[in-house]
Amino acid sequence: MEGCGDFVQCLLPDMSIKILSCLDDPADLIRVSAVSSSWRQFVIGNDLCKHLCLKRFPEISSVGNMIEVENTVVPVVSQPEKSTEWLCLERNHRVYAFLSRGLSNCITEDCLIDAIHASSTDNYPEESILNTLKPGDRVERRASYWSSGGQSDPTVPETLTYKLISKLCLISEIHVQPFQAYFQFGFPIYSATAVRFRVGHPNVKIDVESDNGLESVAAQARSFCDKIVWTYTSPEFPLVQENILQKFKLPEPVLCIGGILQVELLGRVQKQQLDGLYYICVSHVQVVGRPLLSAFDVEILDESGKCSLKYCPKERLLCESSNKSTEGESSSPPRFHRFRASLRGWEQMILSTLLGAGAGVGDDD
């Protein structure tokens, strides 16, 4: 059409970047990169997908390295027509676009999968932190709750530390239900005064999935917090002394990198009549968020606490598994076509665009 111009070519780079930075959907940036080869080079060369992802989820900046699975052992090798720097930019373009879009579209659900440890427990295992994973305050006519140890000082805090369903979760709300001791005189509610939440990742490899994982972690309870790099701490929220599930919405959704969440219970309000000590009891904890399950994994790099975010779409793994199972069949389509056929929605748009422009995802046919 006459009269139409290419603003990327006509304007200064800074002005073009400012215009494209107004886009807040990673899918729009992918569409922009598909307009022409010059626009694609501009989007990738200026790391626009990465900047958009960091703008929407600032916690991503705490990740030490952003790498694809293929490059964890063999580094990026320059190709005759492409420099190593350009290959790294293309890789970041894919990974950050996938990550940003994935975090935006994940379904909201309960993100807690396991309890790691409590700072103290009055009667173990009857009053274990594991009870807080179950909704309500009773299970099969039995009281279900966690109880702290008793303290004469009401200001002594307690912490409950949990493992999330994924090492990468976007958390929006956390729910806490204080426990009401219906079996004690006066039905006291052992609530804390306030709560605060922290998320992070271990700075060493901690095995919480072995057969005796809970016991081994419990043995390290006093030093456990020293093994966690906390990437976010919420403001304090007042906790009402009522036996209800109280919902605390974070000021902004928080990206938890590493899959560790801690509930800090601050202050005590209820004495136990039997011994005159202050206790905190919780019957249920729930974390509402969006786990990014299929494409990313977080791994500790070294003792300094830096972590690595690995990228490997689930669809690709399924495709490669399918390729192995059907290897040798003359009627089976090439890997490339099966891979593309397995993609859906925005994933298909992202990877099809990149493959069509010559940005390989691996060593497929």
Side-chain angles (χ1 to χ4, degrees):
M1 294 177 63
E2 295 184 2
C4 293
D6 185 347
F7 73 86
V8 173
Q9 299 290 335
C10 297
L11 300 178
L12 294 174
D14 289 346
M15 182 58 67
S16 297
I17 291 175
K18 188 172 183 180
I19 292 173
L20 294 177
S21 296
C22 294
L23 299 175
D24 57 3
D25 190 334
D28 291 334
L29 276 180
I30 297 300
R31 295 187 182 99
V32 167
S33 68
V35 170
S36 66
S37 59
S38 63
W39 280 37
R40 170 181 165 77
Q41 291 177 0
F42 187 84
V43 170
I44 295 177
N46 290 283
D47 259 347
L48 295 185
C49 279
K50 178 179 179 179
H51 294 318
L52 173 60
C53 188
L54 294 179
K55 181 174 72 174
R56 299 183 67 187
F57 310 106
E59 294 78 11
I60 285 289
S61 60
S62 66
V63 179
N65 290 314
M66 180 76 70
I67 54 179
E68 290 181 275
V69 169
E70 290 86 352
N71 296 325
T72 57
V73 178
V74 181
V76 175
V77 178
S78 296
Q79 300 175 8
E81 68 280 7
K82 296 180 181 180
S83 66
T84 302
E85 181 181 1
W86 180 255
L87 291 174
C88 290
L89 288 171
E90 286 183 326
R91 178 195 62 199
N92 285 347
H93 177 72
R94 293 193 296 271
V95 172
Y96 281 104
F98 195 101
L99 175 62
S100 182
R101 190 64 173 172
L103 286 170
S104 301
N105 287 352
C106 290
I107 300 174
T108 300
E109 59 179 280
D110 187 1
C111 293
L112 283 188
I113 191 173
D114 201 1
I116 297 177
H117 81 86
S119 53
S120 71
T121 301
D122 190 30
N123 296 303
Y124 185 86
E126 291 80 7
E127 298 173 338
S128 165
I129 183 178
L130 290 172
N131 295 331
T132 63
L133 298 174
K134 304 168 185 175
D137 59 0
R138 302 187 192 190
V139 175
E140 299 178 353
R141 300 182 182 180
R142 176 182 61 83
S144 175
Y145 64 97
W146 162 82
S147 174
S148 71
Q151 295 286 344
S152 57
D153 182 0
T155 64
V156 175
E158 297 284 350
T159 59
L160 302 175
T161 307
Y162 297 91
K163 178 183 177 183
L164 299 178
I165 195 172
S166 171
K167 292 182 179 179
L168 204 63
C169 290
L170 186 66
I171 298 173
S172 55
E173 291 184 16
I174 301 173
H175 306 162
V176 179
Q177 181 175 351
F179 176 70
Q180 183 173 21
Y182 57 86
F183 46 80
Q184 293 184 358
F185 178 77
F187 310 111
I189 300 176
Y190 292 95
S191 169
T193 303
V195 292
R196 185 168 58 202
F197 310 106
R198 297 199 291 178
V199 299
H201 62 83
N203 62 7
V204 295
K205 294 183 179 181
I206 299 176
D207 183 12
V208 295
E209 296 181 352
S210 59
D211 294 338
N212 60 346
L214 287 174
E215 288 78 2
S216 64
V217 172
Q220 304 171 12
R222 292 186 178 182
S223 61
F224 185 82
C225 290
D226 295 334
K227 295 182 175 68
I228 302 295
V229 176
W230 299 111
T231 57
Y232 171 82
T233 301
S234 76
E236 291 186 18
F237 298 93
L239 196 63
V240 181
Q241 195 175 9
E242 295 182 14
N243 181 24
I244 57 174
L245 189 64
Q246 302 179 37
K247 301 180 179 182
F248 305 100
K249 187 172 183 179
L250 300 177
E252 294 290 340
V254 173
L255 183 64
C256 177
I257 300 172
I260 302 294
L261 178 134
Q262 187 176 85
V263 179
E264 294 183 279
L265 301 161
L266 309 173
R268 304 164 186 245
V269 297
Q270 184 64 53
K271 278 186 178 182
Q272 182 175 244
Q273 188 176 16
L274 182 64
D275 57 11
L277 298 178
Y278 290 93
Y279 291 83
I280 300 176
C281 299
V282 174
S283 56
H284 185 45
V285 174
Q286 185 179 42
V287 176
V288 178
R290 300 174 177 180
L292 192 61
L293 293 171
S294 60
F296 291 89
D297 189 23
V298 178
E299 188 172 279
I300 305 305
L301 290 180
D302 51 42
E303 294 182 357
S304 67
K306 291 185 178 180
C307 60
S308 164
L309 190 59
K310 293 185 177 181
Y311 163 64
C312 187
K314 181 178 180 181
E315 288 78 7
R316 183 176 183 186
L317 295 177
L318 292 175
C319 175
E320 291 178 350
S321 175
S322 175
N323 287 337
K324 291 179 181 179
S325 64
T326 59
E327 189 175 1
E329 296 181 14
S330 58
S331 60
S332 61
R335 285 184 178 182
F336 175 80
H337 297 295
R338 283 205 302 273
F339 175 43
R340 292 190 64 182
S342 68
L343 300 177
R344 304 185 304 274
W346 59 269
E347 294 169 326
Q348 182 179 9
M349 176 187 62
I350 292 176
L351 293 173
S352 295
T353 299
L354 294 171
L355 289 170
V361 186
D363 56 356
D364 290 346
D365 296 340

